Amino acid sequence: MNQPVVREVKKKLQRLIYQAWEKAFAEGLLPQPGARDEIMIEVPKERAHGNFASNIAFQLTARTRAGGQSGRAPRDVAEILRERVPAHPYLAGVETAGAGFLNFRLTPLWLQEVLLNLAEAPDDYGRIDDLKGEKIQLEFISANPVGPMNVVNARAGALGDSLARFFVFCGAEVEKEYYVNDYGVQVTVLGESLEVRYRELTGEEVTFPDYGYQGEYLIDLARELLAEKGRSLLELPKEERIAFCKEWGCRRILKSQRQDLEDFGIFYDHWFSERTLHESGAVDAVVQRMEKNNLLYEKDGALWFWATAFGDEKDRVVRTADGRTTYFTADIAYHLDKLARGFTHLINIWGPDHHGYIARMKAALEALGYGREKLEILIAQQINLIKDGKPYKMSKRRGEFITMRDLLEEVGNDAARWYFLMRSPDSHLDFDLDLAKEETAENPVFYVQYAHARIASLFRQLDREFRPDPTVINEAAWEDDELEIMEKMAFFPETIALAAGEREPHRLTAYLLELATLFHSYYNRKRFLTEDERLTHIRLSLAFAVGTVVRNGLRLLGITAPEKM
RNA sequence: GCGCCUGUAGCUCAGCAGGAUAGAGCAACGGACUUCUAAUCCGUAGGCCAGAGGUUCGAAUCCUCUCAGGCGCGCCA
């Protein structure tokens, strides 16, 4: 795999500056050069400031003072370096500017490299090997199987699925896992709630428990249960009937959750049942192991984990006074299981209501001898649904909430994914249902997709298969607007690295918007299919490249790249 | 009370280990289709980056404090 062009160019520039620095040192003008990597190469915001810039002069200024010399102004240092930067085919000019920046203007050579890479292996453009050798497990959503998916689940799903795609593109092996919380109070309440609804449908007079799940969906589910089993469940003792409802309800809800996810384009590699941890004895084994390692103490009849010794604010119960293990205990067992499976890195995406849980989970892993950095927890922040200009509150208890399915049916998968991913996971985003629904045409995702469709349309009109010709690309006389687009595409791999590294796909949505803007503007200004065969080829090479980058980018977000719109 | 997240244009939000004149979309206003898709383009307007200190050549960005909003602080999951 080729190194991304931008990285190579930065390295080249570092080398050139370093050579200048060494020369100046030999002449006694600057202090001794340090490491080459400390020379920072950045990208100026202003085009007038060149393609790349370095602030090395500012750093060196401090050092000329420290070295006992009289000290030089940043401008002078920059000038000393500028005069000594060796010539290079990539280099069109070096200038000093501002308070002491060193600005580099490059020839189109490096950008032609981008087009050539794109022509050679389109589907792989943007691939990097930053995560090569990593085996990452990504666990996300993991909702209780007690009701339909909600919109925060959808956000976490879009994020997790997209990150998985990024990681794979960065060379990692990735496994997506869903942890099914099919054990404990919540599912028991589900069983009880369903059982009451069932009896209600058989005509029995019932009082619905106030702690039960009151959503409509349970009535529907009870109806299905009645259709499937008839009144036969009434023969069972109540306890058994509840147990059956719990079992049956869990399975049905899980199945529909899974269906919702798959309709959203999210497919898991592995579904992991919490119950199996209890049944296999893994949970009890955790208690024993912690006991053996002197991590537990007894108080008020319960067994406590000494979490404060590992950075948590409070100690945590792993076995209650009446002998039950807690959710936390099972979760420790779950994470130990993950670790035993040989992943180099674990990532969990949790909802905002679980952030208080992070410290104790990390404390447990550390106490058991694993590095706390091995587990990374991302918080997908909350979503405020806005309807009719007002916040739309959700309540699982009252059963009036907008489900993930509702949302997707209203705005579509592509728009929903884009909306979730276009903001930082940290932002508490406002999702305006009316806006997303009514103004779909104004939605930025269509703007990006439209660029792709326009390009596809160009190639449809060509009566032959198009393959970019390296010779034509190398000999082309590029215009400024073309170079700008090429430069943007050169930063595609960088954007992916950043998005993957920071776990922030919104870097890519922003990038795609910028690229699409440049392209639409260019499209309006220039014709692609002209009488001049050479010119046509040059412009189509550019279109080919843009289309490829847009398609590759959308793929990472889990969004389709339509040929027609 | 403690912890986490957030505070940038009228609205929703970007701003990459600090960098040169703070950006985008929407909304507003004015223009552009005989031409490869007008789901597009071009232009105008819009800001005490919540506030106060500090760090330095340089702060929206880093540190401290204050203010405001959200979420969490169970022998629940």
Side-chain angles (χ1 to χ4, degrees):
Chain A
M1 184 184 320
N2 293 328
Q3 270 296 306
V5 169
V6 168
R7 290 187 188 179
E8 292 210 328
V9 169
K10 283 188 176 180
K11 264 190 223 139
K12 278 196 174 85
L13 292 176
Q14 276 181 334
R15 226 170 285 148
L16 294 175
I17 294 171
Y18 197 77
Q19 285 173 30
W21 188 356
E22 282 178 320
K23 196 148 181 261
F25 169 63
E27 294 171 36
L29 295 169
L30 291 177
Q32 178 143 26
R36 201 181 291 159
D37 284 345
E38 72 180 296
I39 301 172
M40 269 192 288
I41 307 294
E42 49 196 37
V43 183
K45 263 180 287 191
E46 295 289 322
R47 284 212 76 63
H49 296 146
N51 305 90
F52 293 91
S54 179
N55 61 357
I56 184 69
F58 294 103
Q59 290 162 304
L60 279 184
T61 297
R63 214 174 301 173
T64 57
R65 283 201 208 105
Q69 303 182 33
S70 54
R72 295 182 188 280
R75 281 200 84 100
D76 298 337
V77 176
E79 186 55 29
I80 288 169
L81 288 171
R82 189 195 64 78
E83 289 165 350
R84 289 166 180 76
V85 171
H88 189 279
Y90 274 16
L91 222 49
V94 188
E95 288 119 37
T96 58
F101 288 97
L102 209 48
N103 293 340
F104 297 87
R105 275 184 302 109
L106 304 190
T107 61
L109 272 182
W110 70 296
L111 293 175
Q112 285 168 189
E113 202 67 36
V114 173
L115 290 192
L116 296 177
N117 288 347
L118 268 157
E120 201 181 310
D123 293 346
D124 289 333
Y125 184 70
R127 232 177 245 285
I128 45 179
D129 55 12
D130 287 15
L131 296 178
K132 201 169 175 189
E134 294 283 324
K135 193 176 166 197
I136 300 172
Q137 199 235 27
L138 203 50
E139 182 219 321
F140 54 101
I141 302 185
S142 299
N144 290 310
V146 297
M149 296 279 181
N150 61 39
V151 293
V152 180
N153 295 145
R155 182 181 193 178
L159 178 64
D161 187 60
S162 178
L163 284 178
R165 293 163 190 255
F166 274 98
F167 296 154
V168 168
F169 218 53
C170 292
E173 202 180 312
V174 179
E175 186 177 292
K176 290 175 282 184
E177 182 156 298
Y178 191 108
Y179 183 50
V180 183
N181 301 132
D182 51 1
Y183 184 91
V185 180
Q186 308 255 18
V187 290
T188 302
V189 171
L190 170 76
E192 289 175 16
S193 306
L194 183 58
E195 191 265 351
V196 174
R197 290 300 188 203
Y198 172 79
R199 280 191 287 119
E200 189 175 46
L201 287 176
T202 62
E204 194 175 316
E205 200 63 28
V206 298
T207 46
F208 199 80
D210 53 4
Y211 58 83
Y213 299 126
Q214 300 188 20
E216 282 283 319
Y217 65 93
L218 271 189
I219 300 174
D220 296 338
L221 208 56
R223 212 165 271 134
E224 285 180 43
L225 180 58
L226 187 63
E228 190 178 311
K229 288 281 162 187
R231 304 172 67 89
S232 65
L233 296 182
L234 294 175
E235 323 271 317
L236 296 171
K238 186 167 181 181
E239 289 310 306
E240 282 180 38
R241 188 165 55 240
I242 288 176
F244 181 87
C245 285
K246 175 170 141 182
E247 185 85 10
W248 189 90
C250 257
R251 212 169 48 236
R252 292 303 293 259
I253 290 176
L254 189 62
K255 196 176 155 198
S256 79
Q257 287 181 337
R258 183 171 180 160
Q259 190 62 53
D260 286 356
L261 289 168
E262 292 186 356
D263 289 346
F264 193 28
I266 297 174
F267 296 85
Y268 283 88
D269 300 303
H270 199 204
W271 295 72
F272 193 106
S273 154
E274 178 185 358
R275 209 173 58 187
T276 61
L277 288 169
H278 293 271
E279 288 169 355
S280 71
V283 181
D284 292 332
V286 164
V287 178
Q288 282 165 28
R289 180 167 166 186
M290 294 180 91
E291 218 157 18
K292 210 160 72 185
N293 293 349
N294 291 319
L295 299 169
L296 306 180
Y297 65 90
E298 207 172 324
K299 194 181 81 181
D300 303 333
L303 260 187
W304 297 70
F305 164 47
W306 200 256
T308 47
F310 301 95
D312 199 0
E313 328 175 291
K314 297 180 184 173
D315 291 337
R316 308 291 175 178
V317 170
V318 295
R319 195 169 64 208
T320 65
D322 56 4
R324 291 172 297 116
T325 51
T326 63
Y327 178 82
F328 178 47
T329 320
D331 219 10
I332 296 171
Y334 176 44
H335 283 84
L336 291 181
D337 186 282
K338 289 186 186 181
L339 288 164
R341 282 184 265 159
F343 296 107
T344 57
H345 195 65
L346 304 178
I347 299 179
N348 296 351
I349 300 178
W350 287 350
D353 51 335
H354 280 68
H355 78 252
Y357 197 80
I358 297 173
R360 85 181 69 167
M361 199 61 237
K362 291 197 164 224
L365 291 188
E366 192 185 342
L368 288 166
Y370 303 92
R372 51 197 303 136
E373 69 287 343
K374 191 116 178 173
L375 173 67
E376 178 181 347
I377 293 163
L378 306 177
I379 297 295
Q381 277 297 347
Q382 65 200 74
I383 294 169
N384 302 313
L385 286 179
I386 308 287
K387 199 176 170 68
D388 304 324
K390 296 179 305 215
Y392 194 80
K393 291 286 179 197
M394 295 181 292
S395 158
K396 207 178 267 189
R397 284 288 150 79
R398 274 175 296 135
E400 44 172 89
F401 57 102
I402 296 211
T403 64
M404 172 168 145
R405 180 165 287 280
D406 294 338
L407 181 72
L408 297 180
E409 279 171 3
E410 276 195 53
V411 307
N413 283 359
D414 286 344
R417 286 228 190 200
W418 182 275
Y419 261 85
F420 288 135
L421 296 176
M422 75 188 293
R423 304 302 181 207
S424 156
D426 284 338
S427 74
H428 308 183
L429 76 85
D430 281 4
F431 199 115
D432 191 321
L433 290 165
D434 306 310
L435 206 72
K437 188 174 156 187
E438 288 165 21
E439 304 196 55
T440 43
E442 303 298 331
N443 201 311
V445 66
F446 295 116
Y447 182 86
V448 173
Q449 288 180 318
Y450 183 49
H452 186 266
R454 269 184 152 176
I455 290 166
S457 167
L458 285 177
F459 289 107
R460 267 200 303 277
Q461 282 169 53
L462 212 62
D463 50 359
R464 58 185 187 279
E465 171 130 12
F466 180 81
R467 289 204 64 83
D469 180 346
T471 313
V472 178
I473 288 173
N474 280 324
E475 289 170 359
W478 300 103
E479 297 185 38
D480 283 348
D481 49 7
E482 290 160 341
L483 290 172
E484 197 179 358
I485 294 174
M486 287 154 73
E487 186 166 353
K488 180 58 76 181
M489 292 191 291
F491 281 92
F492 183 60
E494 297 302 289
T495 304
I496 288 170
L498 189 66
E502 300 291 320
R503 286 81 166 101
E504 293 182 338
H506 77 274
R507 310 266 182 198
L508 184 59
T509 57
Y511 170 90
L512 289 175
L513 222 40
E514 288 161 11
L515 178 62
T517 301
L518 290 177
F519 179 78
H520 282 310
S521 174
Y522 179 80
Y523 184 99
N524 252 56
R525 215 164 31 241
K526 301 274 173 64
R527 271 196 79 77
F528 286 83
L529 307 172
T530 67
E531 298 303 312
D532 182 337
E533 202 177 312
R534 200 175 175 76
L535 190 63
T536 299
H537 191 91
I538 288 171
R539 292 183 176 169
L540 283 180
S541 298
L542 193 71
F544 177 86
V546 173
T548 301
V549 172
V550 168
R551 188 167 54 249
N552 291 358
L554 288 175
R555 201 199 308 140
L556 289 170
L557 301 170
I559 295 172
T560 60
E563 300 287 311
K564 284 182 188 173
M565 285 177 77

